[in-house]
Amino acid sequence: MTGAAACLAGFEGITVIIHGSSGCYYYPATLLHAPLRGTFIVEEDVIFGSERRLLEVIDEVSSSGTRIAVVTTCVPSILGEDIRAMLAAHDVILVDSPGFSGDFEQGYRHALRALTPLINPETNGINIDGVSLFDPFSRGNIQELSRLLLNANVPVATIFSMDKFARVRQASPYTITTNEDIAGNVGTALGSTLGLDALKTTFETIGSVIQGADTEPVIREIEREEERINHACDKYLRRFNPPRAAIFGSPSYAVFAANSLVTYLDAEITCIGSRTSVIPVVPYVVKQADGLTQVQEMIKRHEPDLVIGSSFERSVMPAAAFVGLTPPLQGQVRLTSRPVAGIFGTLSFMEDVLNACMDRRR
Amino acid sequence: MSSNPLPSNTSRLGGCTLTGALSVTTSVSDSISIVHGPKGCSHHNFSLLHTIALENNRLNLPSVYSSGLLESEIIFGGEAALERAIAACASSSPKCIFVLSTCVAETIGDDVFSVCSMDWGVPVIPVPTAGFLGGAFQNGVLNALSTLSDGVSPGSPDGTVNIIGEKNLEFEVEENYTEVLRLLSALGLSVNLRFIHQISYDEIPQLARASFNVLRDKEVVPLGDHLKARFGMPYLESFPVGLAGTLRFLEMAADTCGVSYHAAVQDERAVQEELLADFSDLSGARIVLPPDGVSAGDGAVIREVVTALGMKIADSGLCVPMPLSPPVGTSGIRRMLHRWRRMIRA
């Protein structure tokens, strides 16, 4: 449900209604910081049926001039009401994505499919996908990739999912991604933007595919900034041993972190805990860790001195150096839009790693 | 609009019993709370509790475990999943296990109480919740507190005070407690137990030792009545609110315990005069109350403070921030006035 809401609420021009109780509503509302609506069903609606309440709320918001999307929660789904039939007379996008039906990524992709994105061959530029309101790095990713595309003389087309709703049906034939775990598969994928190697390959592809693109400035910037990272990491290694890192997150971000640590710091990746059931094929030990018990066991077994993940993992091993990469990132003030993708994404990540490791030794 | 989470739409916005109950049970430090429902229900609450803990400088993670109901359990029943969850938790030998059910478990008709009554080797305590089908957030809080108090035997009053029903998810929970402690200390009174805030399971029986209870606010009155009936404990129905209310709190607490309040009230009056002098620059400032309105408690405090400082409440102009609950004691008013002055100066 939260994944679906994160996708839909990212589009300006869609009003998202959470069909469920207030308790269910508060989670996505507080997490996504988006103006969601809710049916706030109570026991009476469960006993006598929720149709009247759902239609009442749809009537309320229908004057807003936006497209309405309804996301179902657990109880309305279990009750077996024919919600599609209830909504037959209304122009509403229905996403039946109750919490028990899967994880965040599944809900997000389900909602994106329900929006039926369309490619317009006439649309210039490149789509950016993998963007989610749930991800604290999304705004930074958009800013960074927009900057890089601008430097390569390529317009930004549709951003999935943080854009005007009308642009969902006007997507470019080409897409680059900031997070493959929630990639929408709209158009031809030109590559990932996580990590400098992948970024360089992606921009080389852009240079060969997109007419009028000049990717040389971006390629030069990648090479220049990578030298700065190499210099800083080499200096670190003159005094200290490489970190032993445990990484927890969605597979794409986690593998990006592991590759960066190995490439620049010769780090040992003791384990990767995947938040989803997807286990990427990489030269690291990867296990699913979508619960606290698994996280605690992995950290206890491997005793890393660097933990990459969310504030949950930080609390499991507060003595280790910590870098936040995975939501939630609580207990710290974050005002700027930091990226993970692009050049600044890698710079920012490695800067955080070096500072965290050095702070731990002070 | 009733789909908007505005205060005017409160009949449907009471939140989830599960969140309320977890705010209590996870504050028993050596226990585990099992959420019998889909993982999302426990993740949601775990995240919230973790955030509040970090904001109060507590790095430890809330001890929450999910029975992880999936679509198959929704169809065939989830009691076996609950049994697996209890067995897994019991194997780590916690002092006790709380079991809280969700709207999903209630809808599919799982018999949670029956599963909990099996022999697990540790106390397994079901807390009536059932998600939104069991009421709202505050029902969850009261049910959890009531369930925990029911296991306590009567004791002999020793002149101390219990703090009952603190809002554990409140950002200022520690500051509010510190203010009440300061005022009680001024009367020579000490706190016996924070029921329930960051205590161990073995401390719960101490509940019956105190001479009277201070309730966090009027929402806890049903529990105050329950404890009064069981243990004969009188109670004050709220933390101190407002300038005059803080002085009145001192008087009532002293009367209840049979101690003198004159010196403490005189000292507190001096503290309040110093507070008003510190914010005398706000005299004449015009403020606007939030457009969504304020609670009756907030309204009374605001009017009292505005009058005391020579400020004005206007129909339009600068809207000052309000605390989510009325500010507690003189210290709470001071923090509120700092926020007002920042806005007025901006």
Side-chain angles (χ1 to χ4, degrees):
Chain A
M1 180 268 284
T2 303
C7 171
L8 298 166
F11 288 105
E12 191 184 324
I14 295 181
T15 299
V16 180
I17 298 172
I18 305 296
H19 184 33
S21 69
S22 61
C24 296
Y25 166 89
Y26 289 137
Y27 185 47
T30 53
L31 206 62
L32 305 178
H33 304 290
L36 306 177
R37 297 301 183 96
T39 54
F40 309 130
I41 58 171
V42 292
E43 192 166 10
E44 181 187 293
D45 303 313
V46 174
I47 296 167
F48 298 109
S50 65
E51 180 173 5
R52 191 173 152 190
R53 175 63 188 156
L54 177 57
L55 296 181
E56 183 185 38
V57 172
I58 287 174
D59 280 347
E60 273 179 22
V61 301
S62 58
S63 61
S64 66
T66 60
R67 189 75 189 276
I68 296 169
V70 173
V71 180
T72 57
T73 60
C74 295
V75 168
S77 286
I78 296 170
L79 291 174
E81 293 180 301
D82 191 346
I83 295 172
R84 198 167 294 282
M86 286 180 199
L87 301 175
H90 298 266
D91 185 19
V92 168
I93 301 161
L94 173 64
V95 181
D96 186 21
S97 192
F100 61 78
S101 67
D103 58 27
F104 176 91
E105 286 76 10
Q106 287 169 297
Y108 180 99
R109 286 195 293 264
H110 189 179
L112 192 52
R113 281 196 300 275
L115 292 177
T116 57
L118 291 177
I119 291 169
N120 180 351
E122 303 300 316
T123 300
N124 289 327
I126 295 178
N127 309 311
I128 298 172
D129 83 358
V131 172
S132 149
L133 291 177
F134 183 62
D135 180 358
F137 298 100
S138 269
R139 288 188 189 282
N141 286 346
I142 293 171
Q143 288 173 8
E144 169 65 353
L145 293 191
S146 299
R147 180 185 75 85
L148 294 176
L149 288 172
L150 182 70
N151 285 353
N153 199 31
V154 178
V156 176
T158 307
I159 299 172
F160 295 99
S161 300
M162 207 178 281
D163 209 327
K164 290 187 168 67
F165 175 52
R167 287 162 67 102
V168 172
R169 304 279 171 83
Q170 295 289 329
S172 152
Y174 301 104
T175 300
I176 56 175
T177 187
T178 63
N179 184 346
E180 287 169 354
D181 303 320
I182 50 172
N185 299 320
V186 180
T188 302
L190 297 184
S192 169
T193 56
L194 294 173
L196 297 186
D197 284 349
L199 187 70
K200 194 172 177 183
T201 305
T202 298
F203 270 82
E204 284 167 352
T205 308
I206 289 171
S208 63
V209 168
I210 304 294
Q211 204 172 11
D214 175 13
T215 56
E216 267 310 303
V218 176
I219 304 291
R220 281 200 303 274
E221 185 183 342
I222 291 171
E223 289 166 353
R224 187 175 66 242
E225 296 304 325
E226 188 159 38
E227 267 312 298
R228 292 180 63 216
I229 297 174
N230 282 329
H231 179 77
C233 291
D234 187 61
K235 189 175 173 186
Y236 177 89
L237 291 174
R238 284 165 62 190
R239 288 186 62 203
F240 308 118
N241 286 327
R244 299 181 70 249
I247 303 169
F248 299 88
S250 63
S252 293
Y253 277 16
V255 171
F256 152 75
N259 289 341
S260 300
L261 290 170
V262 170
T263 301
Y264 300 118
L265 278 174
D266 193 28
E268 178 187 352
I269 308 302
T270 62
C271 60
I272 292 178
S274 170
R275 279 278 176 90
T276 75
S277 56
V278 176
I279 305 297
V281 181
V282 287
Y284 313 114
V285 176
V286 187
K287 289 184 177 171
Q288 187 174 354
D290 59 350
L292 186 59
T293 309
Q294 296 101 311
V295 170
Q296 285 170 324
E297 282 172 0
M298 290 171 81
I299 288 181
K300 190 177 174 186
R301 188 181 324 130
H302 296 288
E303 292 188 344
D305 55 22
L306 170 65
V307 172
I308 312 280
S310 72
S311 42
F312 297 157
E313 284 86 24
R314 183 181 60 172
S315 293
V316 172
M317 193 163 184
F322 171 76
V323 173
L325 187 69
T326 309
L329 294 173
Q330 308 291 9
Q332 52 185 239
V333 177
R334 300 174 67 86
L335 296 176
T336 56
S337 300
R338 292 167 73 89
V340 173
I343 298 171
F344 285 179
T346 300
L347 285 172
S348 174
F349 175 72
M350 290 310 300
E351 178 181 285
D352 285 349
V353 166
L354 290 171
N355 285 326
C357 289
M358 288 190 292
D359 282 348
R360 181 175 171 269
R361 292 169 186 278
R362 284 181 182 134
Chain B
M1 286 180 130
S2 63
S3 63
N4 240 344
L6 296 174
S8 58
N9 197 17
T10 50
S11 63
R12 289 180 177 272
L13 294 172
C16 186
T17 55
L18 189 62
T19 309
L22 279 169
S23 75
V24 173
T25 60
T26 57
S27 216
V28 179
S29 56
D30 42 8
S31 70
I32 299 176
S33 298
I34 294 177
V35 174
H36 181 39
K39 278 185 177 174
C41 296
S42 57
H43 187 273
H44 164 183
N45 286 290
F46 183 92
S47 184
L48 175 69
L49 292 162
H50 177 55
T51 303
I52 299 294
L54 285 176
E55 286 177 343
N56 282 284
N57 304 319
R58 292 195 308 272
L59 268 180
N60 56 316
L61 289 160
S63 195
V64 178
Y65 193 95
S66 175
S67 64
L69 294 184
L70 297 170
E71 201 150 4
S72 53
E73 281 88 21
I74 305 293
I75 297 166
F76 298 111
E79 289 171 20
L82 177 58
E83 287 180 24
R84 285 194 298 275
I86 295 175
C89 291
S91 68
S92 64
S93 303
K95 277 292 171 66
C96 81
I97 295 170
F98 299 108
V99 176
L100 296 79
S101 66
T102 60
C103 50
V104 171
E106 180 76 2
T107 305
I108 63 177
D110 281 355
D111 189 347
V112 171
F113 280 72
S114 170
V115 175
C116 292
S117 67
M118 295 161 65
D119 181 11
W120 294 103
V122 292
V124 177
I125 303 169
V127 179
T129 44
F132 77 98
L133 297 175
F137 175 90
Q138 194 58 30
N139 299 103
V141 171
L142 290 173
N143 288 348
L145 291 170
S146 180
T147 299
L148 282 165
S149 72
D150 285 345
V152 177
S153 303
S156 303
D158 63 1
T160 59
V161 184
N162 288 327
I163 306 297
I164 305 291
E166 286 181 82
K167 296 173 184 288
N168 289 340
L169 302 184
E170 191 172 50
F171 185 53
E172 310 93 336
V173 61
E174 294 301 336
E175 286 71 21
N176 289 341
Y177 168 70
T178 302
E179 176 67 351
V180 172
L181 187 62
R182 180 181 73 83
L183 294 168
L184 292 173
S185 300
L187 295 168
L189 300 174
S190 61
V191 170
N192 170 58
L193 187 69
R194 296 173 77 178
F195 186 80
I196 297 285
H197 183 85
Q198 298 300 307
I199 62 171
S200 69
Y201 183 65
D202 289 339
E203 288 179 274
I204 293 173
Q206 293 177 21
L207 174 69
R209 288 189 201 160
S211 293
F212 79 101
N213 293 328
V214 174
L215 311 186
R216 173 61 185 85
D217 63 17
K218 288 181 180 173
E219 289 185 318
V220 196
V221 164
L223 182 69
D225 288 334
H226 181 66
L227 298 177
K228 189 175 180 182
R230 282 206 65 210
F231 306 124
M233 286 174 181
Y235 62 82
L236 302 188
E237 65 180 19
S238 170
F239 277 14
V241 169
L243 296 167
T246 300
L247 302 179
R248 203 160 48 245
F249 175 87
L250 286 168
E251 293 171 8
M252 289 192 298
D255 282 345
T256 307
C257 264
V259 298
S260 171
Y261 57 75
H262 294 97
V265 167
Q266 194 176 343
D267 289 348
E268 190 61 19
R269 194 168 277 129
V271 171
Q272 293 184 352
E273 282 167 7
E274 189 182 335
L275 166 83
L276 295 175
D278 286 348
F279 288 92
S280 60
D281 58 309
L282 297 184
S283 178
R286 298 167 71 87
I287 62 164
V288 174
L289 300 184
D292 298 340
V294 292
S295 68
D298 267 343
V301 175
I302 290 158
R303 277 189 292 278
E304 184 191 34
V305 172
V306 162
T307 302
L309 284 170
M311 300 169 70
K312 304 273 185 234
I313 295 176
D315 293 331
S316 62
L318 186 70
C319 182
V320 290
M322 297 291 159
L324 288 176
S325 303
V328 172
T330 309
S331 301
I333 293 172
R334 178 176 284 277
R335 290 196 302 272
M336 180 179 78
L337 286 173
H338 277 299
R339 296 174 69 199
W340 285 14
R341 184 150 67 188
R342 188 187 66 81
M343 286 290 289
I344 289 166
R345 281 178 176 171

